[in-house]
Amino acid sequence: MLDHKKKFELLSYVLLFAAILAMPLFMDDFWLNRIAKYLVYGMLGVAISLSWGYAGILNLGQGLFFGAGAYMLAMSLKLASPTSLNQGADKPVPDFMLWNAEPGAVTDLCCINSGSFLWIPFQSQWFGVAMGLVVPVLLALGLGYAMFAQRISGVFVSIITLATVLLVRLLVIDAQPITNGFNGLTDLGWFTVGGFEFDPYLVQTYYLVAVSLIIVLLLTHWLVNTRAGLILQALRDDANRTSFLGFNIALYQTFFFAVSAGIAGFAGMLYVIAAEFASPTFMDLTFSISMVVWAAVGGRNSLIGACIGAVLINVIAASVSETETFVEAWKAILGFLFVGVVLFMPRGLAGFTGDLVDRLARNGKAKQDLAPGDNAEKA
Amino acid sequence: MTVALLIDGVGVDFGGFKAVDGFSMSIDEGELMVLLGANGAGKTTLMDLISGKTKATEGHIYIDETEITNWAPHRIVQQGLGRKFQIPSVFRELSLRQNMEVAATVHPAVLRNLGSRLPADRVRRIDEVLELVGLDTRQNELAGNLSHGETQWLELGMLIVQNPKIILLDEPTAGMTQAETLKTSRIINDLKGRHTLLVVEHDMSFVREIAHHITVMHLGKFLASGTIAEIETNEDVRRAYLGSGGIK
Ligand SMILES: Nc1ncnc2c1ncn2[C@@H]1O[C@H](COP(=O)(O)OP(=O)(O)OP(=O)(O)O)[C@@H](O)[C@H]1O
Ligand SMILES: [Mg+2]
C-alpha cells in the first residue's frame, strides 16, 4: 500500500509528464520552441536539486557544465552549417575562422590557426554529442575529487565552483580564434538523426527535448531511490557519521557531482538544438545563480519540484517581459521571490505542497476515525 | 588469546598540549575493556586517534597486526572498526529504518549500491536488532524525533548491524535514566564475546554490570589497568581521582 506522500509524488510526475506531452496541442510553433528551452531549464533544475538538495553541494558554477555541453555540440553543428561548407563538404571551416585568418593561411581545419585542429573530430556530429557528455563529466570528476578528497565543503565549494566557471568563461572568450570569443557560436546547422533534421520550430524538436526531460527525471528519481542515493542523503545529513560507517564520502560526492554535471551538459546540448547558438553568457554568474534560484523556489529537495520551479519561473518571466517596463522590474521581483522563499518557504513549492498534502491526509484520516462504522469495526 | 586492538605509545600534540601522551594498551579478541578517566583525561581523543578522526603525532595502532595509524576513517572502518560517539550521532533526516539500512550496507562502493537491494539476511538482521534495541515499532519515524536515550539506542543498533569486529563506545549511557541504563547494559552484554569492545564510561554501577577489565587514563597518560577490585584499591588511581571525588 502506497502512503499518501508516495501517491502524491506519483500523481505529480504523471501530471507533469502529461502536461509536457500535451503541450503541442495548445501552443503554436513559436511558443513551443520557447517552452522547449524552459524544459531545458527544468532539466537544469533537476541537476541542481540532485547536487544541492540531495548531495548538499551548492554548486554556483553549474553553467560551466551546461556551457561545456553546449559548446561541444555547437562545434559539430557549426561545422554542419551551410556557411561552413562553402568550400566543399569535405573541407568545412567556420566562418569566423575565415574572417580572422592570417593572409595566406591554408583554409583548412588542420592549420587555419594554431588551435583549429581541435575542431577536426567535430566533423562527426556524434563525436560532438559524446563530448557534450564526456567533457562536463570529466571536468566534474576532476574538480569534484580535488575538492571532496580535501574534505572541502559548504560555502567553500560554492566559492570554488563559482570562481571556476568565471575563469573558464574568461578562457573561452580569450580563445577567440577557436571559440569566436564573446560572440559565441551562431549560425549553426540542424541536429540530424538518420536524415531527419531537427529544425527548432518543429514539433519533433519539442518532443526531443520533452522526452529527454522525462527520461532524465525518471533516471534521477531511480538514482536517488537506490541504496547509493540513500547513502548520499545520509552523507548530506552527517558526513562524519557516514565515513565512520565505512563509506568513502569523497567518492560519493564526486559521483553525484559528476552525474549532475552530465545532466547539465546534456541540457546544454538540448539548448543548442532548440536555440541554435552557444555563447559565453551560459557561463555568466547570473545564469548559474538563476538556476539555483529556480531550484530553491521549486524546492531543492524535490527533483520534480526544482524542475517545475525552473519551468514556471521562466514561463512567468516570458509572459511578464512582453511588457517593456517589466523587464528590469522582473529581476527585482525574482530577487524578492528568492529571499521570500528562503525566509518563509525554505523547502520551496514542493515542500509547501507536501505539507499541504500531509495536512489534508491527516484531516481525512481524522474524519475517517470519527466515522461510526469505522469505530464499530475496530471494536 | 589473540590481540584484536593494539595501541603502542600513541599520542597527539595540539600545539604544545598533549591530550594523549605515549599511551599504550591492548585488548584481546572478544574482550570488553572499560576506559576510565576524569573529565578531560583524553578518552574521547584516544578514540579519535584509533578511529582516524584525529591524526596521531606519535605511536602506532594495529588491528589484528595490520597497522592502521592515521588511515582515513572509512578505511579503518573497512578494516573492522565501528564507533559510537559521545554526542549521539545518527542521520536525523532519515527514518530509523533507513538509518539501519545505511549502517547495514555490505559493500561501501558507490557503484555496488546502484540497484542492489539489501540481501534478505541483512533485512532480517535489521528487524532483529530494531527489536533488540526496542525501536521496532517506530522504525518509520524520522530519527530526529527520538529522545536522547532512544538516539543512543539507535546508534547502538546501527553499530550492531554494521557488525564490526571492534566496537568503540563513548559514554553509551550518558543522560540515561536508571531503567534506560539497565537496558543498555543488557544490550552491551549481548555484544560481549562476539565483538571486541572498548567502552568509556563514568557510571561505576554500569561498569560493574559490563566490565572484565578496566584501564585508567590520567592527563593523557596510562595510569593503571586491572580488574574492578584491583582498580578500586589502586593507590595511584585514588590519588588521581582525589580532586574529582574519587571513583564512586
Ligand atoms: N582538537 C583539539 N584541540 C585542542 N585541544 C583539544 C582538542 N580535542 C580535545 N582537546 C583537549 O584535550 C583534552 C582531552 O579531551 P577529551 O575530550 O579527550 O577528554 P575526555 O576524557 O573524553 O573527557 P570527558 O569525560 O569530558 O568526555 C581536553 O582538555 C580537551 O580540551
Ligand atoms: Mg569524552
Side-chain angles (χ1 to χ4, degrees):
Chain A
M1 180 69 194
L2 293 170
D3 63 22
H4 65 270
K5 268 220 167 79
K6 288 243 170 65
K7 270 191 214 152
F8 176 66
E9 196 182 26
L10 185 66
L11 183 69
S12 38
Y13 273 90
V14 170
L15 284 180
L16 177 69
F17 293 170
I20 293 176
L21 292 175
M23 206 56 80
L25 300 177
F26 310 108
M27 301 273 172
D28 60 18
D29 295 350
F30 173 77
W31 265 96
L32 213 49
N33 176 258
R34 272 196 159 177
I35 301 286
K37 290 179 204 161
Y38 302 155
L39 293 185
V40 170
Y41 293 158
M43 196 181 285
L44 284 174
V46 175
I48 294 279
S49 167
L50 188 64
S51 78
W52 187 24
Y54 281 87
I57 302 163
L58 177 52
N59 178 358
L60 288 184
Q62 194 76 315
L64 170 62
F65 306 129
F66 180 82
Y71 266 88
M72 291 301 118
L73 183 60
M75 284 164 77
S76 277
L77 298 185
K78 179 74 186 169
L79 291 181
S81 103
T83 50
S84 303
L85 298 170
N86 265 339
Q87 46 170 14
D90 54 336
K91 272 181 71 182
V93 178
D95 49 6
F96 67 88
M97 288 193 191
L98 291 170
W99 299 333
N100 297 319
E102 305 261 338
V106 186
T107 57
D108 190 288
L109 278 182
C110 74
C111 25
I112 188 167
N113 64 46
S114 59
S116 62
F117 71 92
L118 289 170
W119 280 66
I120 293 175
F122 287 91
Q123 292 175 62
S124 154
Q125 174 192 280
W126 294 109
F127 180 81
V129 170
M131 286 302 109
L133 289 176
V134 169
V135 170
V137 168
L138 283 185
L139 278 174
L141 287 177
L143 180 65
Y145 194 72
M147 292 189 298
F148 303 131
Q150 298 294 318
R151 300 288 315 261
I152 292 173
S153 64
V155 68
F156 296 101
V157 170
S158 305
I159 293 171
I160 291 171
T161 49
L162 184 148
T164 310
V165 71
L166 291 183
L167 176 75
V168 173
R169 177 179 167 279
L170 275 184
L171 291 178
V172 167
I173 293 174
D174 209 47
Q176 207 276 340
I178 52 169
T179 63
N180 202 21
F182 238 166
N183 302 314
L185 302 176
T186 52
D187 180 26
L188 306 180
W190 287 331
F191 184 66
T192 312
V193 179
F196 184 85
E197 295 182 319
F198 282 93
D199 171 341
Y201 290 92
L202 284 180
V203 70
Q204 283 88 342
T205 305
Y206 174 82
Y207 276 121
L208 175 71
V209 176
V211 171
S212 299
L213 175 61
I214 290 176
I215 291 172
V216 163
L217 266 171
L218 290 176
L219 277 179
T220 46
H221 183 262
W222 164 79
L223 187 61
V224 299
N225 282 292
T226 60
R227 299 182 38 72
L230 180 64
I231 294 160
L232 180 74
Q233 292 168 65
L235 195 162
R236 174 199 61 196
D237 220 4
D238 189 336
N240 232 341
R241 214 327 150 219
T242 323
S243 67
F244 286 102
L245 287 172
F247 300 103
N248 185 344
I249 57 181
L251 291 187
Y252 273 81
Q253 288 173 315
T254 307
F255 176 79
F256 283 91
F257 189 65
V259 172
S260 167
I263 295 171
F266 185 40
M269 289 197 277
L270 291 171
Y271 193 83
V272 165
I273 293 172
E276 296 183 280
F277 74 95
S279 123
T281 54
F282 296 171
M283 289 177 266
D284 279 357
L285 189 52
T286 46
F287 187 51
S288 288
I289 294 201
S290 299
M291 298 177 206
V292 170
V293 175
W294 304 334
V297 171
R300 64 185 157 110
N301 291 326
S302 156
L303 297 167
I304 190 174
C307 176
I308 293 176
V311 178
L312 268 190
I313 289 182
N314 282 287
V315 168
I316 296 171
S319 327
V320 167
S321 57
E322 303 274 278
T323 1
E324 201 47 54
T325 46
F326 261 127
V327 180
E328 281 308 304
W330 170 248
K331 285 182 188 155
I333 295 172
L334 199 59
F336 279 120
L337 196 62
F338 181 61
V339 174
V341 165
V342 167
L343 286 180
F344 302 112
M345 241 165 46
R347 290 180 304 129
L349 286 174
F352 180 74
T353 45
D355 289 347
L356 212 64
V357 169
D358 263 353
R359 201 166 315 151
L360 287 178
R362 227 175 298 130
N363 280 348
K365 198 158 169 289
K367 276 204 196 100
Q368 249 179 36
D369 290 349
L370 282 179
D374 204 44
N375 275 345
E377 235 166 65
K378 271 183 200 149
Chain B
M1 272 251 174
T2 47
V3 172
L5 179 67
L6 176 65
I7 299 166
D8 179 18
V10 160
V12 60
D13 191 330
F14 291 127
F17 168 68
K18 291 199 156 177
V20 174
D21 190 359
F23 188 89
S24 301
M25 82 174 167
S26 74
I27 309 179
D28 288 336
E29 204 170 288
E31 189 189 0
L32 186 152
M33 173 77 81
V34 167
L35 185 62
L36 280 180
N39 286 335
K43 306 178 295 290
T44 298
T45 308
L46 180 66
M47 289 195 163
D48 289 347
L49 291 170
I50 298 171
S51 62
K53 186 166 186 241
T54 301
K55 302 277 173 250
T57 48
E58 58 172 320
H60 307 274
I61 303 168
Y62 303 84
I63 291 179
D64 294 335
E65 328 225 305
T66 306
E67 172 154 17
I68 54 146
T69 322
N70 293 350
W71 281 15
H74 69 269
R75 287 190 58 211
I76 297 179
V77 173
Q78 288 166 16
Q79 197 64 33
L81 187 101
R83 172 173 188 188
K84 205 190 97 39
F85 289 86
Q86 182 165 4
I87 299 160
S89 150
V90 299
F91 305 116
R92 302 174 55 82
E93 287 174 38
L94 301 185
S95 74
L96 269 58
R97 187 161 192 101
Q98 286 176 321
N99 270 274
M100 298 291 275
E101 284 176 0
V102 172
T105 302
V106 187
H107 300 285
V110 187
L111 298 180
R112 297 295 293 263
N113 286 299
L114 293 177
S116 71
R117 303 241 150 251
L118 269 188
D121 63 316
R122 305 255 78 192
V123 175
R124 227 172 305 122
R125 185 73 186 135
I126 290 179
D127 291 333
E128 282 168 21
V129 173
L130 275 171
E131 209 175 304
L132 175 74
V133 297
L135 293 171
D136 47 329
T137 55
R138 307 184 57 186
Q139 53 178 292
N140 292 321
E141 282 182 44
L142 290 189
N145 295 340
L146 295 181
S147 73
H148 184 81
E150 290 163 341
T151 310
Q152 302 257 43
W153 287 328
L154 175 60
E155 206 184 3
L156 261 178
M158 288 164 69
L159 261 182
I160 298 171
V161 292
Q162 184 193 343
N163 199 24
K165 275 198 308 231
I166 300 172
I167 294 182
L168 310 182
L169 301 175
D170 202 347
E171 306 201 16
T173 68
M176 284 191 177
T177 64
Q178 201 129 45
E180 288 173 333
T181 303
L182 194 66
K183 177 174 160 187
T184 308
S185 66
R186 243 181 275 132
I187 297 174
I188 292 177
N189 274 324
D190 191 60
L191 298 177
K192 268 199 291 201
R194 277 181 284 155
H195 304 266
T196 305
L197 292 110
L198 177 62
V199 184
V200 166
E201 191 50 64
H202 287 298
D203 182 344
M204 279 312 286
S205 60
F206 177 73
V207 171
R208 281 187 197 96
E209 284 288 327
I210 60 167
H212 308 160
H213 279 100
I214 296 180
T215 296
V216 185
M217 196 175 186
H218 186 58
L219 300 178
K221 290 200 167 87
F222 175 90
L223 186 68
S225 149
T227 62
I228 299 187
E230 285 165 2
I231 292 298
E232 276 174 329
T233 53
N234 183 304
E235 273 307 311
D236 290 339
V237 176
R238 290 196 164 202
R239 225 171 297 127
Y241 266 85
L242 267 185
S244 51
I247 295 180
K248 279 162 275 180

